[in-house]
Amino acid sequence: MRSRRIGFKLPKIPSSEITSESAYLCRREFMKAGSLLFAGGLVSGGSIPAFSSVSGSEVALPEGWALGSSDALTPYEDVTSYNNFYEFGMDKSDPARYAHELTLSPWQVQIEGEVEQPRTINLEDILAATQEEERIYRLRCVEAWSMVIPWNGFSLAEFIRWLKPTSKAKYVYFETAYRRKEMRGTRSFSSVIDWPYREGLRLDEALNPLAFMATGLYGKPLPAQNGAPLRLVVPWKYGFKSIKSIVKIRFTETQPKTSWQGIAPHEYGFYANVNPDVDHPRWSQRYERRLPSSLWNPNRIPTQLFNGYGEFVADLYKGMNLARYY
Ligand code: MTE
């Protein structure tokens, strides 16, 4: 994987040296030992940052928030075997079983809409234009399970600035690949999604420094079941916003239609911010099950507003009724 280090840097162990889960866990212990690893007073009180950057970033990253004591990294095996990727089936184990059928190379992303230069870009060119970073984020699914995942990738804000949207752009729309031959879930008669899978963000949300484009996890290339080769990660929103295997990005003036809104608009809103006070009709959002969990060890923890990232994102929703704009 690329590993360039520019600007301020955080941990002393570069991601290129981190190749295994045990190395990550080791490093996490190292991080736990104190804030000394984090230059520039990024972390207060010996805590662990909510996200970290190995390579640094040109985008100003917010400072000071910590992962909680219950935020141990979810083991690689769980992150890559318990997935939602309906293009490959409805069962949690289907993506790990079938996603390898997706051809990942060559991969291109079509850029269209309100942008200076609509074009189709090779993934390699996107990677060459952006800085690789590592971010450790909680991922909270609307089904009330959650994980803590060390991602590799690049800042969405940095990517968008490189793409140069016009002043008319107010939203960003994302689309997943739709290949019936390679995605057996899209051929299923029981599938409820009107393919391709679609998602969107308000432009200011997309420009928030926390929004991330993942190309890897645990220092390894992104497994197909996790959305290879390129997926969105929006840690303060329910997981369904974090669209996988992206082939199209469109800048729009109006709010784009998303897949889940199309299926059940009363259940899934455009914003989908993690919020323990706004329940989904089928899942209370008050608590979540931090994976791995079992009948004997349910690992139930209280859900936090904006998944605990409110300090960095609450301003985006100032004055908005979060129960109405769910
Ligand atoms: N993206 C696509 N294209 N198709 C999907 O079915 N599922 C979403 C999201 N992105 C989904 C998707 C949901 S519901 C969740 S919770 C996360 O992916 C799960 O990501 P993970 O499997 O990497 O944990």
Side-chain angles (χ1 to χ4, degrees), residues 128-140:
T130 52
Q131 301 294 328
E132 188 186 350
E133 296 178 39
E134 175 200 315
R135 303 274 182 97
I136 301 170
Y137 281 149
R138 290 180 288 268
L139 173 79
R140 168 65 156 79

Side-chain angles (χ1 to χ4, degrees), residues 83-87 139 141 176 197 226 231 239-240 242 244:
N83 299 100
N84 278 338
F85 201 166
Y86 293 125
E87 283 85 339
L139 173 79
C141 181
T176 295
Y197 192 100
N226 291 91
R231 65 135 351 136
F240 66 85
S242 292
K244 297 178 167 181

Side-chain angles (χ1 to χ4, degrees), residues 78-80 82-89 92 95 139-143 145 147 149 151 175-177 183 193 195-199 217 222-223 225-227 231-232 238-246 260:
D78 296 280
V79 174
T80 57
Y82 187 94
N83 299 100
N84 278 338
F85 201 166
Y86 293 125
E87 283 85 339
F88 298 100
K92 292 283 182 284
L139 173 79
R140 168 65 156 79
C141 181
V142 73
E143 297 163 347
W145 52 262
M147 303 192 189
I149 304 174
W151 300 103
E175 205 173 280
T176 295
M183 298 171 139
I193 295 178
W195 309 105
Y197 192 100
R198 306 170 172 101
E199 258 310 334
L217 55 83
L222 202 58
Q225 59 268 37
N226 291 91
R231 65 135 351 136
L232 183 64
Y238 291 117
F240 66 85
K241 297 295 289 184
S242 292
I243 180 171
K244 297 178 167 181
S245 305
I246 295 167
W260 288 101

Side-chain angles (χ1 to χ4, degrees), residues 156-231:
L156 176 59
E158 189 191 343
F159 181 36
I160 288 177
R161 289 196 179 108
W162 181 66
L163 294 175
K164 296 199 176 75
T166 69
S167 58
K168 283 186 179 165
K170 298 284 176 288
Y171 294 88
V172 200
Y173 163 88
F174 301 87
E175 205 173 280
T176 295
Y178 174 33
R179 301 190 196 146
R180 287 174 62 84
K181 276 196 183 143
E182 299 183 0
M183 298 171 139
R184 58 179 67 213
T186 65
R187 304 195 297 264
S188 158
F189 292 113
S190 59
S191 135
V192 290
I193 295 178
D194 175 23
W195 309 105
Y197 192 100
R198 306 170 172 101
E199 258 310 334
L201 295 172
R202 238 170 42 194
L203 187 61
D204 59 343
E205 296 180 308
L207 291 175
N208 183 283
L210 260 58
F212 199 60
M213 295 294 274
T215 55
L217 55 83
Y218 271 106
K220 302 175 190 182
L222 202 58
Q225 59 268 37
N226 291 91
L230 184 67
R231 65 135 351 136

